[in-house]
Amino acid sequence: KGVGPPLASTSIVYTFSFTSYSYFRQNHFRGTDGWDYRNALSGMMGAPLFGIVTTPENFLKTQMQLDNVQSKREELMESKSQQSISQTNQTLQKEYPTKQPSGRFTNSFHCAKTLASTHGATVLYTGHAINTIREAAFVGTHFFCYER
């Protein structure tokens, strides 16, 4: 649950990161081949843009995972409360289980729609600042080593 958005955004993020890296490396920082701190800076310059793409998908992924864990807890609590059912009913339930959809969200798009309608669209950017810092650290390290 919740892996759709990260997979969908990967190509967008890589396109942005390599394009911005190339632009800033050639036009502003003049990085050289090898381990050059200017390559790291060139890569880091695109982090705010990457954060715009990756923050909602990370937030939705986390919400879907939390929803999955919560639904599993509810199923466990329900099964514990049903232990007093007679042996015959338990046997019937094992032989003919009824699987109902678990969790509040059916998919990532439903999750985004539900959260945005409940809390406003800005809820999708919860954690944007820390996500941007994480992206900057990742792409800075990546492009520092990239030209080697």
Side-chain angles (χ1 to χ4, degrees):
K1 241 180 164 180
V3 295
L7 291 175
S9 71
T10 300
S11 62
I12 296 168
V13 170
Y14 278 119
T15 300
F16 285 158
S17 67
F18 280 94
T19 302
S20 68
Y21 167 72
S22 177
Y23 172 79
F24 284 106
R25 182 174 186 249
Q26 291 173 3
N27 298 318
H28 295 286
F29 293 106
R30 308 273 190 249
T32 59
D33 289 348
W35 291 354
D36 186 351
Y37 75 93
R38 294 173 294 187
N39 292 338
L41 292 175
S42 298
M44 292 170 72
M45 298 311 301
L49 181 62
F50 315 150
I52 291 171
V53 175
T54 61
T55 299
E57 57 102 349
N58 280 316
F59 180 72
L60 291 175
K61 177 187 70 169
T62 303
Q63 291 300 308
M64 293 291 289
Q65 289 170 343
L66 290 172
D67 186 51
N68 193 31
V69 168
Q70 181 64 30
S71 66
K72 297 260 191 257
R73 281 187 186 152
E74 289 171 359
E75 288 174 10
L76 179 63
M77 295 302 289
E78 185 178 310
S79 70
K80 283 185 177 184
S81 69
Q82 291 181 355
Q83 286 179 354
S84 61
I85 297 174
S86 70
Q87 186 66 28
T88 306
N89 286 342
Q90 287 180 5
T91 304
L92 287 173
Q93 285 178 349
K94 288 179 184 176
E95 290 178 11
Y96 305 104
T98 57
K99 183 67 177 165
Q100 297 179 3
S102 61
R104 294 187 309 165
F105 310 121
T106 55
N107 57 45
S108 298
F109 296 107
H110 179 249
C111 178
K113 181 179 156 188
T114 303
L115 292 173
S117 66
T118 305
H119 303 286
T122 56
V123 74
L124 299 176
Y125 287 93
T126 301
H128 177 66
I130 195 71
N131 189 52
T132 298
I133 293 167
R134 180 188 62 119
E135 290 290 345
F138 171 74
V139 295
T141 304
H142 176 81
F143 286 115
F144 177 75
C145 299
Y146 179 69
E147 294 292 343
R148 187 74 172 130

